[in-house]
Amino acid sequence: MALPSADLGDGTYRNPVLDADWSDPDLLCVGDDFYLTASSFGRVPGLPLLHSRDLVNWTLVGHALQLLEPAKEFRKPRHDCGVWAPSLRHHDDRFWIFWGDPDHGIFQVNAPEIRGPWTRPHLVKEGKGLIDACPLWDEETGEAYLVHAWAKSRAGVKNRLTGHRMRPDGTGLLDEGKVIIDADRIPGWFTLEGPKAYRHDGWFWIFAPAGGVETGWQGAFRSRGFFGPYEERVVLEQGDTEVNGPHQGGWVRTGAGEDWFAHFQQRGPYGRVVHLQPMRWGDGGTSRSSEAESGGGWPVFGDKGLPVAVHRKPRLPPQPPSAPATDDDFPGGRFGRQWQWTANPQDGWATQHSGDGLRLSCVRTVDAHDLRRLPNVLTQRLPGIPATVEVELRLDSEEPGARAGLAVLGDAFSWIGLQREADGSVRLVHRFAESVAMGAPPTPSGQWGRERDAAHPREAPEGRARLWIESGAGARCRFSYDVGGGRQPSGQVFAATPWRWVGALLGLFALAPVGGGHAGAASFTQFRITSSFR
C-alpha cells in the first residue's frame, strides 16, 4: 500500500476516509464486518465492494458486476452512464445491490456472500430516467418497498422521489408507483435525489440529498407510512467548514450501538471522496417545512449538523492501517482489483504469461488519436492527495504507429509513452487533448478533438521508458521520463479534468492504427503510486 490510511494512529481519524472517487457510497454492517459499494458508471468491472472492521481502514475485496448490461450498449465508453448511486442491503441471508441506469431502468444483483458469486443483473423496472434505487424490507410486516429518484435529462422531471410496493424476492414491482416526496413543494429545495430508505423507532425514514453535488445538503424525511406524508429536516450542510456539498450516502449502526453516516464531497478532478460522520438520534437538524411536526427523534450528523475534519474512531477493536490498493506488479500478467476498463472488455486485450508485468495487446482502432473513445484503457482512480505515479514501459510491437503509455484521462487528457515510427525506431512521445463538451457531437472528422504534441518527441533507443506523473495541488500534473539518460521533465503542467460525473482517471493503454493481423503488444511493470501527502 503506497497511499496513507485515514487512521491517525492515536484513536482518531481524518476525513476523507476514502480520498479518491468512490462516488455515491452506501454501506451496511453484517456481524463484525462493514461493507461499502459505490457508483461505477461506465467502468468494468462495476459495483466495487469494500470491506472494513472499523469504518476507517478499508480494502477493496471485489466487484459485484462483471459486465455492464445490455452488453452491446457498453462495447464503447459511456463514461457518465451505466451504474448510478447503488444501494447495498442484506436480507434473507443474501447481499443485495440495487441501482438505476438512467437509460435502461432499475437493476439488482444478489449473492450469498459479499465476494459472490453474484447473479447477473436483473431488470426490476424498465424505463428512462429511473435512478438512485433503494429497496426496503419491512421486517415487522413482511412488506417490501422500493424508492427511486428521477434524471431530468432522460425523464423530463426531477426533484421528486417515487415509491413502489415490491415483490419480497426483489424481482419486480407491484404497482405503478406514487410520488411520495415532491421537493418542488418544499421552499428552497431542488435536485432531490439519492434516497436511502430505513425503518427506525416506528418511522419510515428516507435520507436523501438535495441542492446539487457541488453545494448541496443532506436531508432526512420521516413518515408513519411508507407512502407518506413526509416531514423533512436538513441534517448536514457545509456551514463554515471547507467541506462543500456534504451529502448522499448511507447510515450504519455498529455492534456497539453507535451510529455513523458516510457521504461524499465533490472535489472536481478527484471526483467524489468519502467522509465519515458521527451520528446520533436526538432533536437535531433544521426544519424547512411549515407543517413539520414538533418532537424529537431526528438524526444529528457530524458536529451539530456540520461535517467533522478529525474525530475519534468508532468504538471497535483496533485495526491495522489500510487503504484500497494502488500498486501493482501484475504477477502472471494479471492486474489487481483496483483496475477497471472503460467499457466491457474483450478477449485478448490483456494476456497472461509466466512472469510479472502487464502485457496489453496493441488494439487496432480508428480512434487512435482520442483516448476518450477507447474501450481498452485500463484505469484506476486518481488519488485525492498529491502523489507520484510511475511505471516501466516496453513497446514490443513492430507495427508503425503502434503506441502505448500512461495517461491522465478525463474530459481533457494527456499521456506520455512510446510510439513505433515508420523507420522502425521507437520514440518517446507526450501528447494532450483539450477539454470538450462530452455531450456534444463529434467534429466532421469523427473526433471530439485530436490530440497534439505536448513536447518534442525523443528517441528511445531500447524501446523502453520509465514514466512519471506528479499530481500536485488541484490535480495539476507534471510529466517526466527516463529513456536511458536519466529522468527528464516533459511538457507543460497539465490540469486534470473530470468527466461530468466521474473524476479523472489514471490509465494504461496500447493501440495501433487500423490494419490487418495482430499488431503486437506492450508491457508495463512496477506500477507505483507514492504519496506526497504530509
Side-chain angles (χ1 to χ4, degrees):
M1 182 193 73
L3 296 181
S5 163
D7 193 332
L8 296 178
D10 59 359
T12 67
Y13 71 92
R14 65 164 176 266
N15 272 317
V17 291
L18 289 168
D19 203 351
D21 189 22
W22 302 95
S23 179
D24 311 318
D26 194 24
L27 74 170
L28 82 165
C29 178
V30 179
D32 295 329
D33 299 288
F34 300 94
Y35 302 105
L36 181 148
T37 192
S39 295
S40 49
F41 297 97
R43 302 193 300 280
V44 182
L47 290 172
L49 303 167
L50 288 83
H51 171 255
S52 177
R53 285 289 181 93
D54 63 2
L55 293 170
V56 172
N57 295 287
W58 291 91
T59 57
L60 178 64
V61 297
H63 292 82
L65 188 61
Q66 297 308 307
L67 290 174
L68 285 162
E69 294 191 12
K72 65 179 181 180
E73 298 286 336
F74 293 95
R75 288 181 61 86
K76 293 184 177 181
R78 304 182 67 205
H79 297 285
D80 294 309
C81 300
V83 177
W84 284 21
S87 295
L88 177 61
R89 294 292 181 265
H90 191 256
H91 168 73
D92 195 24
D93 294 326
R94 295 187 72 84
F95 291 89
W96 302 77
I97 303 179
F98 283 67
W99 74 94
D101 178 317
D103 298 303
H104 299 100
I106 295 169
F107 291 88
Q108 59 96 337
V109 293
N110 59 87
E113 305 289 343
I114 196 70
R115 291 172 174 83
W118 288 85
T119 61
R120 283 187 58 179
H122 174 77
L123 184 61
V124 178
K125 180 176 176 59
E126 185 177 5
K128 294 280 189 180
L130 309 177
I131 59 170
D132 306 354
C134 181
L136 174 64
W137 284 274
D138 188 343
E139 303 297 341
E140 296 180 12
T141 66
E143 297 285 336
Y145 305 94
L146 184 134
V147 60
H148 69 82
W150 294 88
K152 187 174 182 179
S153 59
R154 274 75 160 184
V157 296
K158 68 170 188 174
N159 206 33
R160 66 186 63 173
L161 305 180
T162 295
H164 296 263
R165 293 188 183 277
M166 184 177 72
R167 293 175 185 164
D169 64 3
T171 58
L173 305 179
L174 298 175
D175 56 33
E176 293 302 313
K178 174 186 175 183
V179 176
I180 57 176
I181 301 174
D182 184 351
D184 286 343
R185 298 177 178 270
I186 307 175
W189 284 62
F190 61 96
T191 317
L192 180 67
E193 57 187 352
K196 297 292 182 283
Y198 307 97
R199 281 285 264 151
H200 174 69
D201 197 25
W203 296 86
F204 286 89
W205 291 89
I206 294 177
F207 293 175
V213 296
E214 298 282 356
T215 58
W217 59 88
Q218 180 66 36
F221 299 79
R222 72 179 185 181
S223 173
R224 291 299 185 183
F226 177 76
F227 290 98
Y230 283 86
E231 54 181 323
E232 86 285 341
R233 290 193 177 187
V234 174
V235 291
L236 185 69
E237 54 191 341
Q238 179 173 357
D240 60 0
T241 74
E242 296 182 356
V243 183
N244 60 291
H247 70 297
Q248 187 156 334
W251 161 44
V252 68
R253 174 165 288 177
T254 72
E258 290 185 336
D259 296 301
W260 297 84
F261 182 73
H263 66 90
F264 77 69
Q265 174 197 9
Q266 172 69 29
R267 292 191 57 219
Y270 301 116
R272 302 173 185 180
V273 302
V274 178
H275 291 239
L276 180 68
Q277 302 298 335
M279 175 181 161
R280 63 181 176 85
W281 289 90
D283 192 24
T286 303
S287 175
R288 293 195 178 184
S289 170
S290 60
E291 300 178 358
E293 300 176 8
S294 61
W298 288 89
V300 182
F301 292 177
D303 181 8
K304 299 178 181 178
L306 300 179
V308 300
V310 175
H311 196 270
R312 70 159 180 85
K313 292 173 57 181
R315 291 190 175 95
L316 294 165
Q319 302 297 320
S322 64
T326 57
D327 296 355
D328 207 341
D329 287 322
F330 310 108
R334 296 178 296 273
F335 49 85
R337 298 185 182 100
Q338 65 268 35
W339 297 96
Q340 296 170 292
W341 299 104
T342 46
N344 280 339
Q346 298 179 29
D347 291 340
W349 285 358
T351 57
Q352 295 185 13
H353 52 90
S354 60
D356 287 349
L358 176 69
R359 186 173 296 166
L360 292 183
S361 296
C362 292
V363 177
R364 295 188 182 275
T365 176
V366 297
D367 296 314
H369 296 285
D370 197 336
L371 298 185
R372 293 166 294 206
R373 300 173 68 91
L374 296 182
N376 58 303
V377 182
L378 193 61
T379 68
Q380 64 168 282
R381 294 160 181 83
L382 180 70
I385 59 175
T388 299
V389 184
E390 58 179 311
V391 70
E392 184 89 19
L393 168 63
R394 185 183 75 236
L395 183 61
D396 298 320
S397 172
E398 300 294 331
E399 182 80 9
R403 65 191 69 166
L406 169 67
V408 177
L409 180 63
D411 190 31
F413 69 84
S414 185
W415 67 272
I416 190 167
L418 299 174
Q419 177 172 297
R420 179 73 64 178
E421 301 298 321
D423 62 4
S425 65
V426 176
R427 290 187 176 273
L428 187 291
V429 294
H430 180 191
R431 294 190 173 131
F432 76 100
E434 296 178 74
S435 181
V436 295
M438 295 304 292
T443 64
S445 66
Q447 302 290 337
W448 278 313
R450 294 173 68 87
E451 63 186 18
R452 293 184 286 160
D453 283 330
H456 294 295
R458 304 178 69 92
E459 187 172 357
E462 298 181 2
R464 295 174 178 267
R466 190 75 184 168
L467 309 172
W468 290 268
I469 299 175
E470 295 177 88
S471 175
R476 293 175 61 82
C477 299
R478 296 182 180 275
F479 291 72
S480 57
Y481 65 91
D482 183 358
V483 290
R487 185 172 173 177
Q488 301 292 328
S490 180
Q492 301 299 313
V493 173
F494 173 79
T497 62
W499 312 94
R500 188 176 184 187
W501 307 125
V502 181
L505 300 166
L506 298 170
L508 304 176
F509 71 92
L511 58 86
V514 174
H518 184 62
S523 296
F524 296 86
T525 55
Q526 297 180 326
F527 183 91
R528 300 286 185 270
I529 300 181
T530 306
S531 169
S532 304
F533 182 79
R534 295 291 185 269

